[in-house]
Amino acid sequence: MITPRTPSGTLELLPHDQIAFQRMLDAIRAGYERFGFLPVQTPVFERSEVLLTKTGGETERQVYFVQSTGALEKTRGAAGEGADDGEHAAYPELALRFDLTVPLARYVAEHENELTFPFRRYQMQRVYRGERPQRGRFREFYQCDVDIIGKDQLSVRHDAECPAIIHAIFTDLAIGPFTIQINNRKLLRGFYEDLGIVDGDHQAGVLREVDKLDKRGEDYLRTTLTGEGFGLAPDVVERILEFVQVRSTGHDDALARLAAVEAASSGSAALAEGVAELREVLELVRALGVPESDYCLNFSIARGLDYYTGTVYETTLDEHPEIGSICSGGRYDNLAGQYTRSRLPGVGISIGLSRLFWQLRDAGLLDASTSSSTVQVLVPQVDAELLGDQLALASQLRQGGINTEVVLDGGKLGKQLRYADRAGIRFVAILGRQEAADGTVTLKDLRREDQFTVPRAEVVSALRVELAQPLV
Amino acid sequence: MITPRTPSGTLELLPHDQIAFQRMLDAIRAGYERFGFLPVQTPVFERSEVLLTKTGGETERQVYFVQSTGALEKTRGAAGEGADDGEHAAYPELALRFDLTVPLARYVAEHENELTFPFRRYQMQRVYRGERPQRGRFREFYQCDVDIIGKDQLSVRHDAECPAIIHAIFTDLAIGPFTIQINNRKLLRGFYEDLGIVDGDHQAGVLREVDKLDKRGEDYLRTTLTGEGFGLAPDVVERILEFVQVRSTGHDDALARLAAVEAASSGSAALAEGVAELREVLELVRALGVPESDYCLNFSIARGLDYYTGTVYETTLDEHPEIGSICSGGRYDNLAGQYTRSRLPGVGISIGLSRLFWQLRDAGLLDASTSSSTVQVLVPQVDAELLGDQLALASQLRQGGINTEVVLDGGKLGKQLRYADRAGIRFVAILGRQEAADGTVTLKDLRREDQFTVPRAEVVSALRVELAQPLV
C-alpha cells in the first residue's frame, strides 16, 4: 500500500476552495477578454535550449528538466560506462517553463508572420520552479499574464491600458480597496544621472540598497550610501531619500510631482523622457475611467533591474500592505532578441494567482466567495417510485441552464437537505407525491430559509429570477 | 540566435484556433457543471511511487520524469563516481501524470475524510506521454474527465448519468449527429462463460482477437478461433460473430436484444446481472431525456480489459466513424486500492479534447466556430484629437460587459476596418467628429455589412441586442 501524498510545494485544493479559485481565474480571464486580448496556451515544457538562453544562475538552478524513461535509461547507461563528464553536462532536451514570458517570446518569434501586431495576448497557465519548499512558496503556481507586443514600435499609449485592466479586474475580484502604483525606469535613470550616478553598475548597486529602505530604515541607507562602497555625498543621499518617498495623492498632485522633478533636474534627457511618458500615461489612465484615488506615482518602484525599460507597475491592497504587490509589470524594449532579429517592444502585467489566493485565504479574505457551490439546485429523492419524474425534473432544470445535482441513492430527506446546506447548494427542488399529483415543484431556498411552490412548467424561470437576485 | 521551436508532439494553436479550442473546453466544463460535478485540479506531477504503482510496461516506458537541476547534477555526480547501477535504477522523485485517473485515485484516497460521497468531480487538464511523435499522436494532450465515486457502494443508477452528460455536451458542441454505444462487462463475461470460455486469460485472448474483427474480417476470426491456439468449435465462433455484431436500433429494440440474450443463456449469473444492469441504465437514460436515436447497445465494446467491470461506453460521430470513439468510459469496482483500504467504486467518462480538436479541424468540421474572435467590438482611431472620447467609449463598452479592443496607434480607417474583418471582430464602433458633435456612435456590423447610428448612452444596449441575435 502506497501512502497517497500530494507533491510538496503545490497548491492542491479541496472542491470548495477550487470553486473559489476558478471564480478568480474566470474573473481575470473575463477582464482580459473585455480589454480585447486573445488567448494563448503553450506547452508545459519548452526545448531546454530555448528556455535557458535568457536566464541567470538562480533561475537556471531552479529549472525542472523532463525526461522520458527511455531517455533517462540512456543517460544512465552512458554514465555507467564511464563516459566523461563533459557529455553529461548537456541538459535533457526538455524543461518545464519557469514563467510565461520566455514561452511568449518563443511563440511570437516562431509565429511572427502569422500574428497581427500589436499582438494582444493573455495567457493563464502554471509555471514551475524547483524552489526549496517553504510556507507560501510554490514549485507549481498560476501566472495570469497579459501583454501587448508591437513590431518595431509600440506607442506609450498602450502603457495606459495596463492600469485600466488592473483596475477592472481587482474591482471585479472584490478583495478590498487597492492602489496601482506607477513609475518609469527612464525617470529613475535620469534622476540618478542628474546626481552624478551615471555608471550602470553603480546605479544598480544604489538601487539595490534603496530597495532595502522599508526593511532596514533610513539610517542604514545613510550609512551605507555615504560609506566606502558608494561614497555619495550626504546631501545626495538626502535627495534620494526624499525622491523615493514620493507618493502622489491624486491626479493633479501626480502632475505637480512630475513638474517638480523636472524643474529640479539638471537636464537629463532620460528624466525628461520619463516625465513625458508618465504624463501621457496618467492622462490616458484617467481618460480610461480609472478613479484617481486608485492610482498614484511611487518613485521607489524599480522592478527587475535588467528587464523593464519604461513604465513600471505594482499594485497593493490598501488594507493588506503586508501581502506586497498583487499585480506587477511594465514596459520592455525587446521581447525576443534571442530568437529573432525583429525588434518587439511590449508592455504587460502578471498576476501570480496561486500565491495571491493562498495569501487571501490565509488572511481570511475569501469567506464570502467560498460559501457557494457551482451546484445551484439539488433534486432530492423523496419517493423512489417517482425516480422517473425526479430525473425528468433534473433534465428540465439542466436544459434551462441551471446546474443541478440529483440524488440517486435515496436516504432521509432531512439528511439530503443537510448535505445540500453543508455543500453550499442554495436551492432544493422537491418533487414528492403531492407535487406530482398537483403538477408542481416545491423550491426551498436554504440561504434565505424560505420555500415556495411553483407549477412545474415554471420551475426554470422561477429559479432564474431567484438566482439573478443578489444575496445581501 | 536560437531557433524558436515548439516541442514536438504538442498542440500549440494560433489565437484563432485557440479561441475555438477554449469554446469547446468551456462547453464541456459548462456541461459537467450543469450535471452537478465539482472542479478538481491536481499538480502536473505526482510522486513517482504514487504514479507507477498501477502501470504496466508500456505506460511506464512512456512516463516523463521531472528533476530539478540540482537533483540532476547529484545523480550524475554519483554515476561519475562509479556508484553501482542498482542505486541509479531508482526513479527520480517526480513524474508527469499520464492520465487523470491515477491523480483522482490519489486525491480521493488522500482527502477521503474531507470529501462527501458519492463524490462527483470533473477535471480538465493536460496529461503527458513520451510517445514517439507521429501524426495525430500527442505527448501533451487535454483530458476532460468526469467521475462519480462512491464509498463502499455506488448505485448502478449513476451509470445512467454518463450517457446523459455525453448527450448534453455533444449536442452543445454541435459537431454533428452522434451515437452513444453502451455495453456491460458482466454481460460479456457471462456470454463467454456460457460458451465454456471461463478461464480469465482464455477469455481475454478471445476478446483480443474479436477486437480485430473490423480490421481483419470474419474469416480471419473463424480461422484463428477454431485454430490451435483457441480450439473453439465452429458453431461457438458463429455465436460469437453474431453476438458482437448486435447494435440496437431504438429503446424497445435494445430491451428485446437483452431479452434474447437472456433467453439464449445457459444460466450464467454474470450474464443475468449484466442484463439487469443494462435494463436499468437504459430506462434511466430515457428518463433523463436522451432521445432513443442517440444511444444503442453495442455488444462488441469491451474497453480496457483490466479496469472496467460493469457498464462501458463509447461514442462515435455518425458521419465520421473513422475518427473512432470521441468519449469513452465505464464502471469500475475500486478506484484506489493501491492507496486506501476503503472500497471506492466509480463510474466515469473522458473526452480527449486535443486529439478530438485536431481530428475535427483536419476533417474541416471547425470552420463555422473559428470565424469569430473573443473581441466583440473594435473602437478605431478616427481622429487623434478625439482620443479621450474614444477611450471613454471603450470604457463604457467594457463596463457594459462587451469585449472591446481600442486602436491606439492610428492609421487609416479603411485599414483598421480590414483588420477587424480579418480578425473576426464583428462590430466597429466609430466615434468621429460628426458623432462627437451629435453625441452618437456609428456601429458597423461587418458580418451583416450593415451600419447604424445610436445615441452614445444607448451604445451598450444596442450592441447587446445585436450580439444576442444568432447570425444565420
Side-chain angles (χ1 to χ4, degrees), chain B residues 382 430-442 451 453 456:
Chain B
V382 184
I430 297 172
L431 204 167
R433 278 180 192 263
Q434 191 59 52
E435 286 87 356
D438 298 350
T440 61
V441 176
T442 298
Q451 84 172 51
T453 298
R456 221 167 123 174

Side-chain angles (χ1 to χ4, degrees), chain B residues 444-464:
Chain B
K444 276 178 108 62
D445 183 338
L446 299 181
R447 205 67 64 81
R448 289 191 206 270
E449 300 184 351
D450 189 16
Q451 84 172 51
F452 48 98
T453 298
V454 296
R456 221 167 123 174
E458 289 165 25
V459 65
V460 168
S461 53
L463 273 169
R464 278 198 181 153

Side-chain angles (χ1 to χ4, degrees), chain B residues 94-377:
Chain B
L94 298 173
L96 301 182
R97 60 175 169 240
F98 51 81
D99 68 11
L100 299 179
T101 302
V102 176
L104 171 65
R106 194 266 307 148
Y107 183 95
V108 174
E110 184 175 352
H111 304 297
E112 203 176 325
N113 296 321
E114 300 154 287
L115 301 174
T116 311
F117 293 90
F119 176 53
R120 304 164 68 84
R121 88 85 178 77
Y122 74 88
Q123 184 170 2
M124 301 168 60
Q125 293 189 287
R126 289 159 158 186
V127 304
Y128 298 87
R129 294 187 192 172
E131 305 245 19
R132 260 188 226 104
Q134 51 181 302
R135 207 181 128 74
R137 281 269 180 182
F138 297 106
R139 291 173 162 182
E140 174 186 65
F141 55 97
Y142 266 98
Q143 285 196 335
C144 307
D145 283 20
V146 70
D147 287 87
I148 308 156
I149 313 295
K151 194 153 178 173
D152 301 319
Q153 58 185 12
L154 181 74
S155 156
V156 73
R157 291 170 178 175
H158 291 282
D159 296 27
E161 293 195 279
C162 291
I165 299 166
I166 296 171
H167 182 261
I169 286 176
F170 285 99
T171 301
D172 282 356
L173 288 176
I175 53 174
F178 56 90
T179 304
I180 304 160
Q181 304 179 49
I182 307 174
N183 199 8
N184 186 296
R185 292 296 307 268
K186 290 174 190 167
L187 170 72
L188 270 189
R189 182 152 55 85
F191 171 78
Y192 285 103
E193 276 172 14
D194 275 346
L195 294 179
I197 307 165
V198 177
D199 173 72
D201 287 344
H202 191 197
Q203 213 179 84
V206 172
L207 275 168
R208 256 192 300 275
E209 292 304 323
V210 169
D211 213 35
K212 298 176 188 164
L213 180 60
D214 282 350
K215 278 188 195 153
R216 303 286 195 95
E218 296 192 5
D219 285 341
Y220 165 83
L221 223 61
R222 284 192 185 96
T223 314
T224 309
L225 293 180
T226 55
E228 222 176 321
F230 294 97
L232 302 185
D235 69 308
V236 167
V237 177
E238 293 312 314
R239 280 188 63 190
I240 294 176
L241 282 172
E242 198 186 327
F243 176 76
V244 297
Q245 280 166 46
V246 167
R247 311 283 182 278
S248 63
T249 56
H251 192 80
D252 291 340
D253 183 53
L255 295 179
R257 301 286 188 158
L258 289 178
V261 164
E262 201 166 32
S265 168
S266 48
S268 157
L271 185 138
E273 214 178 314
V275 166
E277 289 185 2
L278 278 175
R279 253 192 214 120
E280 184 158 8
V281 168
L282 290 169
E283 284 307 335
L284 298 186
V285 166
R286 182 160 69 170
L288 280 162
V290 182
E292 61 179 328
S293 57
D294 293 349
Y295 60 91
C296 76
L297 287 179
N298 177 343
F299 288 158
S300 79
I301 290 171
R303 305 294 310 156
L305 290 180
D306 301 323
Y307 190 55
Y308 294 115
T309 50
T311 318
V312 284
Y313 322 92
E314 286 189 0
T315 310
T316 46
L317 290 175
D318 297 350
E319 288 161 13
H320 295 274
E322 75 284 1
I323 285 180
S325 180
I326 55 173
C327 178
S328 312
R331 155 73 71 146
Y332 38 90
D333 263 349
N334 197 7
L335 175 71
Q338 310 90 327
Y339 313 122
T340 171
R341 280 179 220 291
S342 302
R343 202 172 146 252
L344 302 169
V347 63
I349 51 172
S350 181
I351 303 172
L353 191 63
S354 301
R355 186 161 171 268
L356 177 59
F357 181 87
W358 185 86
Q359 288 170 314
L360 292 173
R361 191 176 61 171
D362 210 44
L365 296 172
L366 286 180
D367 296 335
S369 61
T370 54
S371 57
S372 73
S373 174
T374 42
V375 182
Q376 296 167 310
V377 183

Side-chain angles (χ1 to χ4, degrees), chain A residues 157-177:
Chain A
R157 291 170 177 173
H158 290 282
D159 297 26
E161 293 195 278
C162 292
I165 300 166
I166 296 172
H167 182 260
I169 286 177
F170 285 98
T171 301
D172 283 356
L173 288 176
I175 53 175

